[in-house]
Amino acid sequence: YYPTYADMTTGQLRGYFSWRTKLRRGVYERAPLSFAFVDMYELINGVGASSPLDAFIKLRTFAQEYAEIDERVVPYAGRPTLPTTASTR
């Protein structure tokens, strides 16, 4: 399942960007599942993030918060945790 901007009508794009603006302000509202996927894809690609770690934290936060609204994101986003680094000696 790989929705893109090109798959959306003008009305859907307006809805998506309005929804995403609210997300970035910390307001989580139910939306079509495709909106959640596009937001996750943006974060994976660094859109709206200042660094890879910031993108990871935002993706983790989204997964945790949005799963409370729509559990369908859990199989795809899960409830990620920070990776541990292996010690190299």
Side-chain angles (χ1 to χ4, degrees):
Y1 188 62
Y2 304 101
T4 66
Y5 299 141
D7 296 325
M8 295 184 199
T9 66
T10 300
Q12 289 169 328
L13 284 167
R14 287 182 181 152
Y16 171 73
F17 288 116
S18 294
W19 175 80
R20 189 185 75 180
T21 297
K22 290 178 184 178
L23 272 185
R24 292 187 179 178
R25 292 180 180 153
V27 178
Y28 289 81
E29 296 178 347
R30 181 177 291 276
L33 188 58
S34 60
F35 286 15
F37 275 90
V38 171
D39 183 65
M40 289 187 287
Y41 299 150
E42 287 179 340
L43 290 170
I44 289 167
N45 286 288
V47 175
S50 60
S51 68
L53 179 59
D54 184 47
F56 177 83
I57 291 168
K58 287 179 178 179
L59 182 59
R60 180 182 63 187
T61 300
F62 175 80
Q64 291 170 338
E65 295 291 331
Y66 201 73
E68 297 296 321
I69 296 169
D70 190 341
E71 291 184 358
R72 294 178 297 169
V73 300
V74 173
Y76 304 98
R79 296 190 188 274
T81 58
L82 285 172
T84 58
T85 56
S87 174
T88 55
R89 293 183 187 204

